[in-house]
Amino acid sequence: MKRLSLLCCGLLLASPLMAARVEVMHWWTSGGEASAVEVIKQQWRAQGGQWQDFAVSGGGGKSAMAVLRSRALAATPPAAAQIKGSELLEWARLGLLRDLDELAQNQRWDLRLPGFVRSTLSHQGHYVAVPIGIHRVNWLWFNRDVFTRLGLEPPSTWAQLQALAPRLLAAGITPLAIGNDPWQLAILFESIVLGDAGNEFFRRAFINLEPDQLDSPTMVALLQRFKALRPFVPQHFGGLSWNQATGMVMDGSAAMQLMGDWAKGELTQAGLQPGSNIGCLPAPGNAEIFSYNIDSIAMFSVRDPEQQAAQVQLANLLMTPELQILFNQKKGSIPALAGLPMGQFDSCARQSSQALEQAQQGGHLVPSLAEGMATSSYVLQAVTDVLSNFFNDPQQTAEQASHRLRRAMLAAR
Ligand code: GAL
């Protein structure tokens, strides 16, 4: 039986007759996320493929990565996995990821992907993952009715947010929906850094890891701002997931949430029109800055030729404009493929696409720290530990936290 067709240049393409089977690990388990994965599953099945879902819940993917590590240690990794940013490089360094250069060349990725996407996916000049969407991380989601009812304007600076939050509290509304999860706190802190200190400081501190920036009066002021928001989070914020927090903004029990635009996937899933009742604005002080998070699927090196062919077939599917448009409409992100028409996307996604363009031109595009685009996972772990201890310890001062940040980040480097 002819199961594979061998095309020119050595590229293996799966024949449509073949029932390719792939196991795919991901952490897209919230309502919006699951509806986006469903798009891939459906299109995969429409090609005759079998999909073995390996979903590990937990926003930000920490649990998923732990489970993936144990599968890899047992030498039974899935064919494909949601791995992104610096973690890609960490897995590739271990020699576990499949080199996708041949596929990339055949599909002309160099021409179809923006430069920052290409470099994020490359390890020592070789492609190691397929990009699927670009999330903007530094967004403010707000409940328009709540603001209108109280005669308030959504904030465009952190100082404004801090000033209006007590009025929301007085009206019985939680100002800021967030869970006590180090990863969610890191997203909040990152938006404060970018909004109050700008992207130059962000780069020097969190990308270059310049010691005197990590422990500096600017950092102390940023940490103070972060801690000053503590009274405005939900009373029971331990264990609150990011999507439950989005739910609080949707039902009006909270006024705002600082979160990447995967939050938009929850709105779409609930039948709301993003940008209308629930508004989207750049995080306070972040108007020009675009903090990016690129979602990607990596393929593990496997020996079985059928699995190898299935990986190529999946990669091909993920790179089609049709899939990227439908997937990202549900997911809240924008396509990773450059230049796709945005007409069918909601107004927040169109804003995101324009903001990305402008940030690229103006030098305001930054890799998200909280989303693992800016530093190694070890440094990120150090940052999130320090931030979460500080946020939850009423005794700890911003000066102490700033010393700890410097020590922990430099030790993890
Ligand atoms: C991010 C991931 C997004 C997302 C979010 C919440 O790390 O890149 O796609 O949905 O976690 O689970």
Side-chain angles (χ1 to χ4, degrees), residues 41 55 100 153 172 182 204 285 307 334 340 356 360 368 378 387 398:
K41 289 186 196 170
L100 300 175
E153 284 292 317
R204 294 185 64 182
Q307 278 290 288
I334 57 176
L340 294 189
L356 175 61
Q360 272 180 288
S368 167
Y378 316 107
L387 290 176

Short mmCIF file of all heavy atoms in Angstrom, two decimals, residues 41 55 100 153 172 182 204 285 307 334 340 356 360 368 378 387 398:
data_model
loop_
_atom_site.label_atom_id
_atom_site.label_comp_id
_atom_site.label_asym_id
_atom_site.label_seq_id
_atom_site.Cartn_x
_atom_site.Cartn_y
_atom_site.Cartn_z
N LYS A 41 -8.33 20.16 15.67
CA LYS A 41 -8.78 18.75 15.67
C LYS A 41 -9.68 18.49 14.47
O LYS A 41 -9.55 17.49 13.77
CB LYS A 41 -9.55 18.44 16.95
CG LYS A 41 -8.68 18.37 18.18
CD LYS A 41 -9.57 17.91 19.34
CE LYS A 41 -8.92 18.17 20.67
NZ LYS A 41 -9.81 17.97 21.81
N ALA A 55 -3.95 16.77 26.91
CA ALA A 55 -4.17 18.10 27.48
C ALA A 55 -3.87 18.07 28.98
O ALA A 55 -4.31 17.17 29.68
CB ALA A 55 -5.61 18.52 27.25
N LEU A 100 13.17 21.45 11.70
CA LEU A 100 12.10 21.62 10.71
C LEU A 100 12.55 22.43 9.49
O LEU A 100 11.73 22.94 8.73
CB LEU A 100 10.88 22.30 11.37
CG LEU A 100 10.25 21.55 12.55
CD1 LEU A 100 9.16 22.37 13.20
CD2 LEU A 100 9.69 20.19 12.09
N GLU A 153 -13.68 56.72 34.05
CA GLU A 153 -13.01 56.43 32.77
C GLU A 153 -12.01 55.30 33.01
O GLU A 153 -11.31 55.32 34.03
CB GLU A 153 -12.18 57.65 32.33
CG GLU A 153 -12.97 58.80 31.76
CD GLU A 153 -13.58 58.44 30.42
OE1 GLU A 153 -12.88 57.82 29.60
OE2 GLU A 153 -14.77 58.77 30.22
N GLY A 172 -18.44 48.20 46.00
CA GLY A 172 -18.59 46.75 46.16
C GLY A 172 -18.06 45.95 44.98
O GLY A 172 -18.43 44.79 44.80
N PRO A 182 1.74 32.69 40.66
CA PRO A 182 2.95 33.44 40.33
C PRO A 182 2.96 33.93 38.87
O PRO A 182 3.41 35.03 38.56
CB PRO A 182 4.08 32.45 40.57
CG PRO A 182 3.54 31.53 41.61
CD PRO A 182 2.06 31.43 41.36
N ARG A 204 16.90 46.46 29.71
CA ARG A 204 18.15 46.44 30.48
C ARG A 204 18.03 45.51 31.69
O ARG A 204 18.95 44.78 32.01
CB ARG A 204 18.52 47.86 30.92
CG ARG A 204 18.85 48.74 29.71
CD ARG A 204 19.33 50.11 30.13
NE ARG A 204 20.59 50.03 30.87
CZ ARG A 204 21.20 51.07 31.39
NH1 ARG A 204 20.69 52.29 31.24
NH2 ARG A 204 22.34 50.93 32.04
N GLY A 285 -0.27 52.89 30.50
CA GLY A 285 1.07 53.34 30.12
C GLY A 285 1.74 52.54 29.02
O GLY A 285 2.88 52.79 28.65
N GLN A 307 5.21 8.25 12.01
CA GLN A 307 5.09 9.38 12.93
C GLN A 307 5.75 10.62 12.34
O GLN A 307 5.22 11.72 12.44
CB GLN A 307 5.76 9.04 14.28
CG GLN A 307 4.88 8.23 15.18
CD GLN A 307 3.71 9.05 15.70
OE1 GLN A 307 3.88 9.93 16.52
NE2 GLN A 307 2.54 8.79 15.17
N ILE A 334 -3.55 36.73 17.15
CA ILE A 334 -3.58 37.03 15.71
C ILE A 334 -2.65 36.04 15.01
O ILE A 334 -1.75 35.48 15.65
CB ILE A 334 -3.18 38.50 15.40
CG1 ILE A 334 -1.79 38.83 15.96
CG2 ILE A 334 -4.22 39.48 15.95
CD1 ILE A 334 -1.29 40.22 15.61
N LEU A 340 -1.94 38.26 6.67
CA LEU A 340 -3.26 37.65 6.43
C LEU A 340 -4.34 38.72 6.65
O LEU A 340 -4.17 39.62 7.47
CB LEU A 340 -3.50 36.47 7.39
CG LEU A 340 -2.61 35.25 7.22
CD1 LEU A 340 -3.12 34.10 8.07
CD2 LEU A 340 -2.56 34.81 5.76
N LEU A 356 0.93 45.88 16.68
CA LEU A 356 2.13 45.09 16.41
C LEU A 356 2.96 45.75 15.31
O LEU A 356 4.17 45.93 15.42
CB LEU A 356 1.73 43.67 16.00
CG LEU A 356 2.86 42.74 15.56
CD1 LEU A 356 3.86 42.52 16.68
CD2 LEU A 356 2.32 41.39 15.11
N GLN A 360 6.62 47.39 15.86
CA GLN A 360 7.77 46.90 15.11
C GLN A 360 8.51 48.06 14.46
O GLN A 360 9.72 48.14 14.50
CB GLN A 360 7.31 45.93 14.00
CG GLN A 360 7.21 44.50 14.48
CD GLN A 360 6.75 43.58 13.37
OE1 GLN A 360 5.59 43.60 12.97
NE2 GLN A 360 7.63 42.76 12.88
N SER A 368 7.67 39.00 25.93
CA SER A 368 7.07 38.97 27.26
C SER A 368 7.94 38.18 28.24
O SER A 368 8.36 37.05 27.95
CB SER A 368 5.69 38.31 27.18
OG SER A 368 5.24 38.00 28.48
N TYR A 378 14.69 29.31 33.84
CA TYR A 378 15.26 29.33 35.20
C TYR A 378 15.19 30.75 35.77
O TYR A 378 14.84 30.96 36.92
CB TYR A 378 16.71 28.84 35.18
CG TYR A 378 16.88 27.62 34.32
CD1 TYR A 378 17.52 27.69 33.08
CD2 TYR A 378 16.34 26.40 34.73
CE1 TYR A 378 17.63 26.58 32.27
CE2 TYR A 378 16.45 25.27 33.93
CZ TYR A 378 17.09 25.37 32.69
OH TYR A 378 17.19 24.26 31.89
N LEU A 387 8.61 37.68 43.10
CA LEU A 387 7.43 38.55 43.00
C LEU A 387 6.28 38.01 43.84
O LEU A 387 5.59 38.76 44.55
CB LEU A 387 6.97 38.67 41.54
CG LEU A 387 7.87 39.46 40.61
CD1 LEU A 387 7.31 39.40 39.19
CD2 LEU A 387 8.00 40.91 41.06
N ALA A 398 9.85 46.78 49.52
CA ALA A 398 10.24 46.78 48.10
C ALA A 398 11.76 46.75 47.97
O ALA A 398 12.29 46.14 47.03
CB ALA A 398 9.66 48.01 47.42
#
